[in-house]
Amino acid sequence: MASSWLAFVLPLLCLGMVPISDAARAFFVFGDSLVDNGNNNYLVTAARADSPPYGIDTPDHRATGRFSNGKNLPDIISEHLGSEPLLPYLSPELDSDKMLVGANFASAGVGILNDTGIQFANIIHISKQLVYFAQYQKRLSSLIGAEQTARLVNGALVLITLGGNDFVNNYYLVPTPLAPENSRCRTTSPTSCPNPHTPLRPWRSPRAGAGRGPIGCVPAELALHSLDGSCDRELQRAAEMYNPRLLSMLHEMNAQFGGDVFVGVNTQRIHNDFIEDPKAYGFATATEACCGQGRFNGMGLCTMVSQLCNDRDAYVFWDAFHPTERANRLIVQQFMSGSIDVISPMNLSTVLAVDHIRSQQQMRT
C-alpha cells in the first residue's frame, strides 16, 4: 500500500473574495494516504489502515483509517487552526454543523494520474475527489445558502498531497521493458512525468503551494534496493528533477493570478534533514520503520503480526511509507514557521496573518 513523500500542494484560499474570520475558517483536504483520515474505510479496497496497530497512539488506541500510529498532517494543521479534526467525506457523520468545519476527500493509493493505484481496486481518484467537493458545496448550500457557502469556500484553507504514488506505484512499479512508456519519466527531462497542474486547475482564488519529499529513502525502497540504508538514487533523482518544474509552475500560476496564490513547500528539504541527521531531531533511526517486517522493517504491510517498536517517537517512519505522528508534527511546524528556503514565498503563519489583516481592511471599507 504505497503512499508518497513526493508532492505536497498546499492551496490556501485565504485572501478570499469575501472576509472570513479565523474562527470560521473551513479546511479541505485532497490527496493520498499521507492525508487520508478514513475515506478508504468505506471502500472495498486493499489500501486501508482500519485495523491495529494503526492508531495505537490515539486516545482510545483505535485504528481510524489514518496511515499513522496517531495523528496525520491534516489533524495537526487543524490543531494549529484551533479547529476540530476533519471528518472523511464518506463518513455518515459528516452532516449539519460538522460540514461547516470542512471535509477530507483524500484516498490512500491515488496519484495525479487516474491510472495510478489501479492495483488497489477501489479508491477515490483525484478527479472523483473534486466531484465530491462539488457535491459537498451543493449539500452545504442547501444547509446555509449559496452566499454563505461561497463565503466559507473562498475563505477556506486547502491541502492537496499528491505525486508519490505516480512514481512508486506507476512509473517505477513495472519494469521498464514491460512498460516502455514509463521510461520517458526516467530520463533527464521531467516533462514526461505526471503533470501537477491538473489537480490545481480548480483553485482560482488565493492561495496555494507545493513541494516534494525523498521517496527513495522510505523503508520500503531501502528494503528493495539498499544494502546499507542509502537512499535509492534513481527515485531520488526523479524527485530532484520534478521539484524545479513544480515550483516553476507555481511561480507561473502566481503571475497568472496576480499575487502569491501558490505557496511552495520544500518537503524534500524537511525530510532530508531527518534522514541525514535523525539524532539532531530526537530520532533514533530514519531508515527502519516502526511497524513492519523484513529488511528495515520495510517489507509488506503493517499488521498485528508485524514487528512493532516500543517507542514510536524514536522513529521517523511508522510503516514502510508513512511518517510517525511525531515526524508529522515536525513537518507541520515547518509549514507553520519555516524559513523561505523551506516554504516560499511565506510560511503558513504569515499567510494566515496577512489574510487576517486584509480581511479586517475589507470589513472596514
Side-chain angles (χ1 to χ4, degrees):
M1 287 189 302
S3 176
S4 73
W5 285 62
L6 189 58
F8 285 97
V9 182
L10 198 67
L12 312 175
L13 311 186
C14 293
L15 308 182
M17 301 174 185
V18 288
I20 185 165
S21 68
D22 286 341
R25 189 183 306 282
F27 183 25
F28 301 109
V29 176
F30 303 83
D32 58 22
S33 59
L34 283 172
V35 291
D36 183 358
N37 69 342
N39 277 310
N40 281 21
N41 290 357
Y42 302 94
L43 304 173
V44 179
T45 178
R48 298 167 69 103
D50 59 345
S51 59
Y54 286 99
I56 189 172
D57 293 316
T58 58
D60 57 3
H61 312 292
R62 182 175 63 90
T64 61
R66 293 165 173 82
F67 286 76
S68 173
N69 59 305
K71 294 183 177 181
N72 63 7
L73 296 171
D75 297 324
I76 300 163
I77 292 174
S78 291
E79 287 181 2
H80 283 275
L81 295 176
S83 61
E84 61 185 89
L86 298 176
L87 287 172
Y89 181 69
L90 296 183
S91 170
E93 297 178 20
L94 184 66
D95 200 5
S96 192
D97 289 348
K98 293 290 186 182
M99 295 186 67
L100 301 176
V101 179
N104 188 318
F105 300 87
S107 176
V110 306
I112 297 170
L113 304 173
N114 277 339
D115 60 354
T116 292
I118 58 173
Q119 67 270 37
F120 299 126
N122 188 20
I123 54 181
I124 312 170
H125 296 289
I126 186 63
S127 57
K128 185 64 175 289
Q129 291 181 34
L130 296 175
V131 169
Y132 281 158
F133 182 51
Q135 292 178 3
Y136 162 89
Q137 293 178 74
K138 289 181 180 179
R139 291 173 57 193
L140 187 62
S141 183
S142 66
L143 181 67
I144 63 174
E147 183 177 348
Q148 288 299 314
T149 296
R151 177 184 174 89
L152 182 145
V153 170
N154 287 339
L157 176 71
V158 181
L159 170 66
I160 303 177
T161 304
L162 283 173
N165 285 318
D166 294 288
F167 287 86
V168 175
N169 284 325
N170 192 335
Y171 278 92
Y172 288 89
L173 179 67
V174 180
T176 301
L178 300 179
E181 68 278 6
N182 289 357
S183 65
R184 293 176 300 171
C185 190
R186 307 183 190 194
T187 68
T188 56
S189 171
T191 56
S192 62
C193 299
N195 185 356
H197 192 285
T198 304
L200 290 177
R201 287 192 183 111
W203 311 111
R204 287 295 180 263
S205 50
R207 306 185 170 222
R212 309 173 60 87
I215 55 174
C217 302
V218 297
E221 296 303 325
L222 299 184
L224 291 174
H225 304 298
S226 179
L227 296 177
D228 59 359
S230 299
C231 302
D232 180 83
R233 291 184 179 181
E234 188 170 4
L235 279 170
Q236 288 297 92
R237 185 174 61 87
E240 290 163 1
M241 286 163 43
Y242 201 66
N243 276 334
R245 180 189 177 211
L246 193 59
L247 295 177
S248 175
M249 182 201 71
L250 295 181
H251 292 319
E252 291 173 2
M253 295 180 75
N254 279 338
Q256 177 183 350
F257 296 132
D260 295 327
V261 177
F262 296 91
V263 177
V265 183
N266 189 345
T267 54
Q268 187 170 30
R269 161 69 185 276
I270 297 171
H271 298 141
N272 279 344
D273 287 345
F274 298 161
I275 290 163
E276 291 172 2
D277 192 3
K279 290 182 171 56
Y281 296 87
F283 295 112
T285 177
T287 54
E288 294 214 9
C290 171
C291 181
Q293 46 273 321
R295 302 181 66 247
F296 302 102
N297 248 10
M299 304 294 289
L301 306 177
C302 173
T303 69
M304 286 290 290
V305 298
S306 297
Q307 299 179 60
L308 180 66
C309 69
N310 292 322
D311 183 6
R312 270 73 71 180
D313 287 348
Y315 287 70
V316 172
F317 290 98
W318 158 246
D319 63 13
F321 291 96
H322 307 92
T324 58
E325 177 180 328
R326 182 167 180 270
N328 278 330
R329 288 190 175 279
L330 292 175
I331 293 166
V332 172
Q333 188 58 53
Q334 290 295 316
F335 288 177
M336 300 302 300
S337 59
S339 58
I340 195 170
D341 60 330
V342 171
I343 179 168
S344 175
M346 64 186 78
N347 58 44
L348 183 52
S349 294
T350 304
V351 167
L352 295 176
V354 170
D355 177 46
H356 179 74
I357 292 170
R358 294 190 184 183
S359 294
Q360 293 299 311
Q361 290 173 344
Q362 290 180 18
M363 293 176 69
R364 287 196 294 267
T365 57

mmCIF file of all heavy atoms in Angstrom, residues 214 217 231 236 240 268-281 286-287 316:
data_model
loop_
_atom_site.group_PDB
_atom_site.id
_atom_site.type_symbol
_atom_site.label_atom_id
_atom_site.label_comp_id
_atom_site.label_asym_id
_atom_site.label_seq_id
_atom_site.Cartn_x
_atom_site.Cartn_y
_atom_site.Cartn_z
ATOM 1 N N PRO A 214 11.699 12.845 -0.217
ATOM 2 C CA PRO A 214 12.647 11.839 -0.715
ATOM 3 C C PRO A 214 12.065 10.439 -0.779
ATOM 4 O O PRO A 214 12.264 9.612 0.112
ATOM 5 C CB PRO A 214 13.785 11.920 0.308
ATOM 6 C CG PRO A 214 13.117 12.319 1.576
ATOM 7 C CD PRO A 214 11.964 13.221 1.185
ATOM 8 N N CYS A 217 14.024 7.159 -0.028
ATOM 9 C CA CYS A 217 14.551 6.899 1.311
ATOM 10 C C CYS A 217 13.551 6.209 2.233
ATOM 11 O O CYS A 217 13.877 5.933 3.390
ATOM 12 C CB CYS A 217 14.992 8.213 1.962
ATOM 13 S SG CYS A 217 16.243 9.128 1.040
ATOM 14 N N CYS A 231 19.787 5.858 0.319
ATOM 15 C CA CYS A 231 18.575 6.077 -0.464
ATOM 16 C C CYS A 231 18.752 5.603 -1.898
ATOM 17 O O CYS A 231 19.865 5.599 -2.433
ATOM 18 C CB CYS A 231 18.208 7.564 -0.450
ATOM 19 S SG CYS A 231 17.954 8.241 1.208
ATOM 20 N N GLN A 236 15.367 9.150 -6.009
ATOM 21 C CA GLN A 236 15.759 10.471 -5.530
ATOM 22 C C GLN A 236 15.938 11.440 -6.695
ATOM 23 O O GLN A 236 15.555 12.607 -6.614
ATOM 24 C CB GLN A 236 17.060 10.384 -4.714
ATOM 25 C CG GLN A 236 16.886 9.733 -3.349
ATOM 26 C CD GLN A 236 15.975 10.528 -2.461
ATOM 27 O OE1 GLN A 236 14.764 10.303 -2.417
ATOM 28 N NE2 GLN A 236 16.525 11.497 -1.746
ATOM 29 N N GLU A 240 14.208 15.043 -7.478
ATOM 30 C CA GLU A 240 15.039 16.233 -7.699
ATOM 31 C C GLU A 240 14.744 16.876 -9.056
ATOM 32 O O GLU A 240 14.825 18.094 -9.199
ATOM 33 C CB GLU A 240 16.513 15.850 -7.593
ATOM 34 C CG GLU A 240 16.927 15.503 -6.161
ATOM 35 C CD GLU A 240 18.249 14.747 -6.105
ATOM 36 O OE1 GLU A 240 18.841 14.512 -7.192
ATOM 37 O OE2 GLU A 240 18.663 14.377 -4.993
ATOM 38 N N GLN A 268 11.120 17.902 0.473
ATOM 39 C CA GLN A 268 12.346 17.109 0.351
ATOM 40 C C GLN A 268 13.409 17.629 1.307
ATOM 41 O O GLN A 268 14.104 16.853 1.959
ATOM 42 C CB GLN A 268 12.864 17.141 -1.084
ATOM 43 C CG GLN A 268 14.052 16.201 -1.298
ATOM 44 C CD GLN A 268 14.419 16.052 -2.758
ATOM 45 O OE1 GLN A 268 14.220 16.965 -3.548
ATOM 46 N NE2 GLN A 268 14.951 14.908 -3.118
ATOM 47 N N ARG A 269 13.513 18.939 1.440
ATOM 48 C CA ARG A 269 14.469 19.530 2.371
ATOM 49 C C ARG A 269 14.113 19.148 3.815
ATOM 50 O O ARG A 269 14.988 18.785 4.605
ATOM 51 C CB ARG A 269 14.457 21.053 2.199
ATOM 52 C CG ARG A 269 15.033 21.842 3.362
ATOM 53 C CD ARG A 269 16.539 21.672 3.521
ATOM 54 N NE ARG A 269 16.997 22.346 4.719
ATOM 55 C CZ ARG A 269 17.300 23.650 4.785
ATOM 56 N NH1 ARG A 269 17.178 24.409 3.704
ATOM 57 N NH2 ARG A 269 17.706 24.194 5.905
ATOM 58 N N ILE A 270 12.840 19.221 4.150
ATOM 59 C CA ILE A 270 12.414 18.875 5.510
ATOM 60 C C ILE A 270 12.771 17.432 5.837
ATOM 61 O O ILE A 270 13.374 17.135 6.877
ATOM 62 C CB ILE A 270 10.898 19.094 5.671
ATOM 63 C CG1 ILE A 270 10.544 20.575 5.481
ATOM 64 C CG2 ILE A 270 10.429 18.615 7.043
ATOM 65 C CD1 ILE A 270 9.049 20.840 5.418
ATOM 66 N N HIS A 271 12.414 16.511 4.948
ATOM 67 C CA HIS A 271 12.653 15.096 5.210
ATOM 68 C C HIS A 271 14.139 14.755 5.171
ATOM 69 O O HIS A 271 14.607 13.906 5.948
ATOM 70 C CB HIS A 271 11.892 14.238 4.194
ATOM 71 C CG HIS A 271 10.410 14.414 4.262
ATOM 72 N ND1 HIS A 271 9.607 14.450 3.152
ATOM 73 C CD2 HIS A 271 9.584 14.583 5.323
ATOM 74 C CE1 HIS A 271 8.354 14.619 3.517
ATOM 75 N NE2 HIS A 271 8.314 14.704 4.823
ATOM 76 N N ASN A 272 14.879 15.407 4.278
ATOM 77 C CA ASN A 272 16.319 15.141 4.214
ATOM 78 C C ASN A 272 17.005 15.487 5.522
ATOM 79 O O ASN A 272 17.963 14.828 5.930
ATOM 80 C CB ASN A 272 16.956 15.915 3.064
ATOM 81 C CG ASN A 272 16.757 15.226 1.720
ATOM 82 O OD1 ASN A 272 16.414 14.050 1.661
ATOM 83 N ND2 ASN A 272 16.977 15.953 0.645
ATOM 84 N N ASP A 273 16.526 16.537 6.194
ATOM 85 C CA ASP A 273 17.104 16.887 7.490
ATOM 86 C C ASP A 273 16.944 15.736 8.480
ATOM 87 O O ASP A 273 17.881 15.391 9.212
ATOM 88 C CB ASP A 273 16.430 18.154 8.040
ATOM 89 C CG ASP A 273 16.846 19.411 7.296
ATOM 90 O OD1 ASP A 273 17.850 19.362 6.563
ATOM 91 O OD2 ASP A 273 16.163 20.438 7.450
ATOM 92 N N PHE A 274 15.752 15.133 8.511
ATOM 93 C CA PHE A 274 15.525 13.989 9.404
ATOM 94 C C PHE A 274 16.411 12.820 9.024
ATOM 95 O O PHE A 274 16.973 12.140 9.884
ATOM 96 C CB PHE A 274 14.064 13.513 9.319
ATOM 97 C CG PHE A 274 13.038 14.519 9.744
ATOM 98 C CD1 PHE A 274 11.725 14.366 9.359
ATOM 99 C CD2 PHE A 274 13.376 15.617 10.524
ATOM 100 C CE1 PHE A 274 10.751 15.266 9.744
ATOM 101 C CE2 PHE A 274 12.415 16.533 10.915
ATOM 102 C CZ PHE A 274 11.098 16.357 10.518
ATOM 103 N N ILE A 275 16.492 12.560 7.727
ATOM 104 C CA ILE A 275 17.166 11.365 7.243
ATOM 105 C C ILE A 275 18.683 11.477 7.388
ATOM 106 O O ILE A 275 19.364 10.514 7.738
ATOM 107 C CB ILE A 275 16.751 11.092 5.777
ATOM 108 C CG1 ILE A 275 15.292 10.638 5.745
ATOM 109 C CG2 ILE A 275 17.659 10.053 5.122
ATOM 110 C CD1 ILE A 275 14.651 10.725 4.389
ATOM 111 N N GLU A 276 19.231 12.654 7.129
ATOM 112 C CA GLU A 276 20.677 12.833 7.203
ATOM 113 C C GLU A 276 21.183 12.903 8.637
ATOM 114 O O GLU A 276 22.301 12.481 8.926
ATOM 115 C CB GLU A 276 21.064 14.102 6.438
ATOM 116 C CG GLU A 276 20.868 13.977 4.928
ATOM 117 C CD GLU A 276 21.074 15.295 4.214
ATOM 118 O OE1 GLU A 276 21.408 16.296 4.898
ATOM 119 O OE2 GLU A 276 20.902 15.335 2.981
ATOM 120 N N ASP A 277 20.379 13.435 9.540
ATOM 121 C CA ASP A 277 20.818 13.570 10.932
ATOM 122 C C ASP A 277 19.631 13.369 11.870
ATOM 123 O O ASP A 277 19.164 14.317 12.518
ATOM 124 C CB ASP A 277 21.456 14.944 11.153
ATOM 125 C CG ASP A 277 22.184 15.041 12.493
ATOM 126 O OD1 ASP A 277 22.239 14.026 13.224
ATOM 127 O OD2 ASP A 277 22.689 16.134 12.805
ATOM 128 N N PRO A 278 19.104 12.155 11.959
ATOM 129 C CA PRO A 278 17.902 11.931 12.771
ATOM 130 C C PRO A 278 18.093 12.277 14.242
ATOM 131 O O PRO A 278 17.169 12.769 14.889
ATOM 132 C CB PRO A 278 17.609 10.446 12.573
ATOM 133 C CG PRO A 278 18.892 9.842 12.084
ATOM 134 C CD PRO A 278 19.570 10.924 11.304
ATOM 135 N N LYS A 279 19.294 12.042 14.768
ATOM 136 C CA LYS A 279 19.524 12.295 16.192
ATOM 137 C C LYS A 279 19.396 13.776 16.534
ATOM 138 O O LYS A 279 19.024 14.134 17.665
ATOM 139 C CB LYS A 279 20.893 11.753 16.601
ATOM 140 C CG LYS A 279 20.964 10.228 16.618
ATOM 141 C CD LYS A 279 22.319 9.724 17.075
ATOM 142 C CE LYS A 279 22.306 8.213 17.286
ATOM 143 N NZ LYS A 279 21.868 7.482 16.089
ATOM 144 N N ALA A 280 19.681 14.643 15.579
ATOM 145 C CA ALA A 280 19.542 16.083 15.817
ATOM 146 C C ALA A 280 18.092 16.474 16.076
ATOM 147 O O ALA A 280 17.821 17.524 16.666
ATOM 148 C CB ALA A 280 20.092 16.869 14.630
ATOM 149 N N TYR A 281 17.169 15.629 15.643
ATOM 150 C CA TYR A 281 15.748 15.899 15.831
ATOM 151 C C TYR A 281 15.123 14.967 16.860
ATOM 152 O O TYR A 281 13.903 14.898 16.994
ATOM 153 C CB TYR A 281 15.014 15.772 14.490
ATOM 154 C CG TYR A 281 15.467 16.807 13.498
ATOM 155 C CD1 TYR A 281 16.569 16.576 12.677
ATOM 156 C CD2 TYR A 281 14.834 18.042 13.408
ATOM 157 C CE1 TYR A 281 17.010 17.534 11.779
ATOM 158 C CE2 TYR A 281 15.270 19.010 12.524
ATOM 159 C CZ TYR A 281 16.356 18.748 11.711
ATOM 160 O OH TYR A 281 16.800 19.714 10.830
ATOM 161 N N ALA A 286 16.175 6.776 11.027
ATOM 162 C CA ALA A 286 15.386 7.268 9.897
ATOM 163 C C ALA A 286 15.371 6.257 8.764
ATOM 164 O O ALA A 286 14.920 6.565 7.664
ATOM 165 C CB ALA A 286 15.938 8.597 9.400
ATOM 166 N N THR A 287 15.887 5.062 9.023
ATOM 167 C CA THR A 287 15.920 4.027 7.985
ATOM 168 C C THR A 287 14.928 2.903 8.277
ATOM 169 O O THR A 287 14.287 2.397 7.364
ATOM 170 C CB THR A 287 17.328 3.427 7.844
ATOM 171 O OG1 THR A 287 17.773 2.955 9.132
ATOM 172 C CG2 THR A 287 18.308 4.478 7.328
ATOM 173 N N VAL A 316 11.345 7.996 12.564
ATOM 174 C CA VAL A 316 10.811 8.903 11.550
ATOM 175 C C VAL A 316 9.645 8.235 10.836
ATOM 176 O O VAL A 316 8.610 8.851 10.597
ATOM 177 C CB VAL A 316 11.897 9.303 10.529
ATOM 178 C CG1 VAL A 316 11.290 10.093 9.368
ATOM 179 C CG2 VAL A 316 13.003 10.118 11.200
#
